[in-house]
Amino acid sequence: MTYPRYTSLARSLPANVPFVGPETHERARGAPFAARIGANENGFGTSPRAIAAMRKAAGDIWKYGDSQSHDLRAALAAHHGTEPANIMVGEGIDGLLGYLVRLIVGPGDAVVTSDGAYPTFNYHVTGFGGVLHRVPYVDGREDPTSLLAKAAQVDAKLVYLANPDNPMGTWHSGTSVVAAMDALPEGCLLVLDEAYVECAPEGTAAPIRPDDPRVIRLRTFSKVYGMAGARVGYAIAAPDLIEAFNKVRNHFGMNRAAQAGALAALQDGDWLAHVQRKISRARDRIAQIAQDNGLYALPSATNFVAIDCGGDGSFAKAVLDNLIQQGVFVRMPFVAPQDRCIRVSCGPMDQLKIFAAALPSALEAARG
Amino acid sequence: MTYPRYTSLARSLPANVPFVGPETHERARGAPFAARIGANENGFGTSPRAIAAMRKAAGDIWKYGDSQSHDLRAALAAHHGTEPANIMVGEGIDGLLGYLVRLIVGPGDAVVTSDGAYPTFNYHVTGFGGVLHRVPYVDGREDPTSLLAKAAQVDAKLVYLANPDNPMGTWHSGTSVVAAMDALPEGCLLVLDEAYVECAPEGTAAPIRPDDPRVIRLRTFSKVYGMAGARVGYAIAAPDLIEAFNKVRNHFGMNRAAQAGALAALQDGDWLAHVQRKISRARDRIAQIAQDNGLYALPSATNFVAIDCGGDGSFAKAVLDNLIQQGVFVRMPFVAPQDRCIRVSCGPMDQLKIFAAALPSALEAARG
């Protein structure tokens, strides 16, 4: 007898991992990275007020966090002009996606996403036995029209759209997303991942009523707020859907210091604006580095830039592998044709300088 | 059409919550508690070295935590004389229990526990469609013999045993647990929750080979290590079972500062010994307070004491409600006959003094 007796679903799951972490790379290569610009972390750092709040809360870490994340939810509701009943705080968008998929997707249920979109969403769908249907990107962007057409065709329970998109950095206007939602099939929930929206152009966030039962929006403190290691994300949705999370979530799962830090980060608009400016300049700099090497950088509404290396996926992979060897942590899309690119996170100029110095020889090695 | 289309399992789940948090109570009563001795948090606080490590890590919180918790797992393996492959670090025991149940329990699968044992385990089992079979406590203790007999009878995939026990504080010797395991039915995994074992008498931790495929042990930094708000627990089991967690867990779910804090806490044996002494004295003091009020305190191997209020569950509930009204946060077992008790966490003497002052009038009110 197999010991223990896993469910048939668990036995069927692959043991793969959506992402290899930078520390795992570093242990494999036996040396730290010189530039950590691969995981779309915010190298410009965290709000000093948030850091101070976390340091203060460390002295109280013997207490469990507030199971309702009351103060943070109240502040988020005020920030977005919603009610706290529209907000669910969770262990990053990854954690919230897991709960959401668990609530809605069972074995055989159809889910639609773009081919090459966020792998961790796919990981959860597969993990709960859902069947993924993928539509191609169109011109480097996720395509709401074909996503919703596919959703209607396969009777999808969920359709995933990231706006702005990861891994390409492309985006749609919020109004065009709302317009596309007219084609959302009945009973299909739009999962609108807005992880990067704080560094997108004005008008990218979709103007959606918080009580609209057709959509759940996901936000995070991991990206522009610079708190990836804290694990704080949140969902905005109709109160019934928010309440449903209470059936399955880890009620005391939030780190107490992270709750305090996120609240302070939300209240530090000056730091947010500072980071937004830094990201904007870093995007320009990365585009310039690409151009200096005869490559094309895709316009980006995120804190990273996809650089088209001018070849196919195996060429971009060779460039990436060489960069990793040189101590530059970057990543690349997993799926063709997006995998012609490498993806470089916005970081301080000294980090980008290391990237700029390494790129020519990486390209040469890949060509040779 | 219901919107969204939840799974039939999700629709069937109650919206209840295993525990009401102290902050939720405080908001309801409109005032903070004077004594926070209800959630078995460690009011003696966290290792200063752990706090310093978390404060240092706060400055790096823009980075994701190490998805493999490599350094912490290596230190835990050394601490327990196992290999890192025997250790899985997760978001508290609650998070790990969720993953474990998900891997093994599907709709209709039988699981055995004690009637009145840890409700969050039950929450996960129900949440994944499992069927709970409960056996009574015997003399205020979970009873391995009847647990394993029931497991054989219902062909259970999991059987849960907490040693020491929560909510009663009672315990078995580790060797008696191992002896009882001879009766473990084939294909039934023993979930041995040792959350409180660091404050139990020598010999309470079960001497189990880490590669024994019949058992998974769960430990935490939330109790004696004083890091409940950090969310760090770990499992010790055979490598195949540990590896299976990678199929379903939130790979980047660990808070980076919490990882650093747990590592420092593990290395601070002096603080652990200090807390163990404080807990021991607080247990004695709580027993004395009970005796001073004509009540019986159960012997405890944990950082809390169950006090038999001398009546039935509704009497103990009246005592508890009055204590809450007086600003003393304590809890009580959920199920008869254990619910004749209230459960008081070990805390500093000033907290116990508040409890001692409030108890006589709480008893009087309940009797009146």
Side-chain angles (χ1 to χ4, degrees):
Chain A
M1 182 179 281
T2 309
Y3 216 108
R5 290 181 285 169
Y6 298 110
T7 66
S8 55
L9 175 59
R11 277 197 305 273
S12 76
L13 293 176
N16 66 2
V17 172
F19 290 106
V20 178
E23 284 82 4
T24 306
H25 277 297
E26 288 175 334
R27 286 189 289 271
R29 62 192 294 273
F33 283 120
R36 184 172 167 129
I37 46 176
N40 303 341
E41 297 161 328
N42 176 4
F44 306 111
T46 316
S47 152
R49 287 166 60 181
I51 293 174
M54 287 184 277
R55 287 186 172 149
K56 181 158 180 275
D60 272 341
I61 209 77
W62 61 273
K63 300 177 186 173
Y64 285 101
D66 175 11
S67 61
Q68 301 187 316
S69 295
H70 175 276
D71 296 349
L72 179 56
R73 282 171 60 227
L76 287 166
H79 182 74
H80 289 292
T82 71
E83 298 297 319
N86 293 110
I87 308 280
M88 176 55 65
V89 168
E91 305 92 335
I93 287 180
D94 287 357
L96 290 164
L97 282 175
Y99 296 134
L100 178 69
V101 170
R102 178 176 164 193
L103 283 168
I104 296 175
V105 178
D109 285 340
V111 173
V112 170
T113 186
S114 302
D115 194 18
Y118 193 48
T120 305
F121 176 70
N122 301 354
Y123 170 78
H124 290 305
V125 171
T126 305
F128 287 101
V131 176
L132 279 163
H133 299 267
R134 297 174 173 88
V135 303
Y137 278 60
V138 174
D139 294 333
R141 302 199 298 177
E142 292 191 301
D143 183 51
T145 305
S146 52
L147 284 165
L148 298 185
K150 176 62 79 176
Q153 183 195 329
V154 301
D155 190 23
K157 286 176 130 183
L158 297 178
V159 57
Y160 176 89
L161 173 68
N163 190 44
D165 175 62
N166 174 21
M168 301 305 275
T170 49
W171 70 102
H172 296 277
S173 72
T175 51
S176 70
V177 171
V178 170
M181 282 174 60
D182 287 345
L184 197 66
E186 200 177 337
C188 178
L189 183 74
L190 174 63
V191 182
L192 184 57
D193 184 342
E194 298 182 327
Y196 297 95
V197 79
E198 293 91 356
C199 55
E202 189 79 22
T204 305
I208 293 171
R209 287 180 301 108
D211 290 345
D212 189 328
R214 300 173 303 163
V215 58
I216 183 167
R217 277 175 291 172
L218 297 161
R219 302 285 185 100
T220 184
F221 285 89
S222 297
K223 302 302 178 184
V224 183
Y225 285 105
M227 292 178 55
R231 313 317 300 131
V232 187
Y234 61 102
I236 311 172
D240 284 356
L241 177 51
I242 292 299
E243 181 64 25
F245 280 80
N246 287 324
K247 294 179 167 190
V248 298
R249 73 185 180 96
N250 187 357
H251 285 267
F252 289 86
M254 292 301 297
N255 180 292
R256 186 178 184 93
Q259 291 173 320
L263 181 59
L266 186 70
Q267 292 166 341
D268 192 351
D270 289 348
W271 184 261
L272 184 69
H274 160 78
V275 169
Q276 287 165 330
R277 285 191 300 271
K278 291 279 191 184
I279 287 172
S280 179
R281 275 182 227 143
R283 283 193 299 233
D284 292 346
R285 179 69 192 123
I286 295 169
Q288 184 63 49
I289 293 168
Q291 192 181 320
D292 292 347
N293 287 271
L295 306 178
Y296 172 69
L298 277 72
S300 168
T302 63
N303 75 337
F304 60 86
V305 176
I307 297 177
D308 185 335
C309 289
D312 61 5
S314 58
F315 180 77
K317 180 68 164 51
V319 175
L320 179 120
D321 287 347
N322 188 280
L323 287 169
I324 298 270
Q325 276 173 34
Q326 294 190 60
V328 178
F329 172 55
V330 294
R331 282 189 177 139
M332 62 181 289
F334 293 100
V335 170
Q338 294 93 280
D339 67 356
R340 70 189 184 279
C341 299
I342 58 171
R343 195 192 69 178
V344 182
S345 303
C346 293
M349 288 300 166
D350 63 330
Q351 297 267 299
L352 299 187
K353 195 170 173 182
I354 294 168
F355 169 64
L359 184 59
S361 58
L363 287 165
E364 197 175 339
R367 282 171 190 143
Chain B
M1 182 179 280
T2 308
Y3 215 109
R5 290 182 284 169
Y6 298 109
T7 65
S8 55
L9 175 58
R11 277 197 305 274
S12 75
L13 295 176
N16 66 2
V17 172
F19 290 106
V20 178
E23 285 82 3
T24 305
H25 275 298
E26 288 176 333
R27 286 188 291 272
R29 61 192 294 272
F33 283 120
R36 182 173 169 130
I37 47 176
N40 303 342
E41 298 160 329
N42 176 4
F44 305 112
T46 316
S47 152
R49 288 167 59 180
I51 293 175
M54 287 185 275
R55 288 186 171 148
K56 181 157 180 277
D60 272 341
I61 208 77
W62 61 272
K63 300 177 186 174
Y64 285 101
D66 175 11
S67 61
Q68 302 187 315
S69 296
H70 175 275
D71 296 349
L72 179 56
R73 282 171 60 226
L76 286 166
H79 182 74
H80 290 291
T82 71
E83 297 298 319
N86 293 110
I87 308 279
M88 175 55 64
V89 168
E91 306 93 335
I93 288 180
D94 286 358
L96 290 164
L97 282 175
Y99 296 135
L100 177 70
V101 170
R102 177 175 165 195
L103 283 168
I104 295 174
V105 178
D109 285 340
V111 174
V112 170
T113 187
S114 302
D115 194 19
Y118 193 47
T120 304
F121 176 71
N122 301 354
Y123 170 79
H124 289 306
V125 171
T126 305
F128 287 101
V131 177
L132 280 163
H133 300 266
R134 297 174 174 89
V135 303
Y137 279 60
V138 174
D139 294 334
R141 301 199 298 175
E142 293 191 301
D143 183 50
T145 305
S146 51
L147 283 164
L148 298 184
K150 176 62 79 174
Q153 183 195 331
V154 300
D155 189 24
K157 286 175 129 182
L158 297 178
V159 58
Y160 176 90
L161 173 68
N163 190 44
D165 175 62
N166 174 19
M168 301 305 275
T170 49
W171 70 102
H172 296 277
S173 72
T175 50
S176 71
V177 171
V178 170
M181 282 174 61
D182 287 344
L184 197 65
E186 200 178 337
C188 178
L189 184 74
L190 174 63
V191 182
L192 184 56
D193 184 342
E194 299 182 325
Y196 297 94
V197 80
E198 294 89 356
C199 55
E202 190 77 23
T204 305
I208 293 172
R209 287 182 300 107
D211 290 345
D212 190 327
R214 300 174 302 162
V215 59
I216 183 167
R217 277 174 291 171
L218 297 160
R219 302 285 185 100
T220 185
F221 286 90
S222 297
K223 302 302 177 187
V224 183
Y225 285 105
M227 293 178 55
R231 312 318 300 131
V232 187
Y234 61 101
I236 311 172
D240 285 356
L241 177 52
I242 293 299
E243 181 64 26
F245 280 79
N246 286 324
K247 294 179 167 191
V248 298
R249 73 186 178 96
N250 186 358
H251 285 266
F252 290 86
M254 292 301 296
N255 180 292
R256 187 177 184 93
Q259 290 173 320
L263 181 59
L266 186 70
Q267 292 165 341
D268 192 352
D270 289 347
W271 184 261
L272 183 69
H274 161 79
V275 168
Q276 287 165 329
R277 286 189 300 270
K278 292 280 190 183
I279 288 172
S280 178
R281 276 182 227 141
R283 283 194 299 233
D284 292 345
R285 178 68 191 123
I286 295 169
Q288 184 63 50
I289 293 167
Q291 192 181 321
D292 292 347
N293 287 271
L295 307 179
Y296 172 67
L298 277 73
S300 168
T302 63
N303 75 337
F304 59 86
V305 176
I307 297 177
D308 186 335
C309 290
D312 60 6
S314 58
F315 180 77
K317 180 68 165 51
V319 175
L320 179 120
D321 286 347
N322 187 280
L323 287 169
I324 298 270
Q325 276 173 36
Q326 294 190 62
V328 178
F329 172 54
V330 295
R331 282 188 176 139
M332 65 181 287
F334 293 102
V335 170
Q338 296 91 279
D339 67 356
R340 70 189 185 278
C341 300
I342 58 171
R343 195 192 69 178
V344 182
S345 303
C346 294
M349 288 299 165
D350 62 332
Q351 297 267 298
L352 299 186
K353 195 170 174 183
I354 295 167
F355 168 65
L359 184 58
S361 58
L363 286 164
E364 196 176 340
R367 281 168 191 146

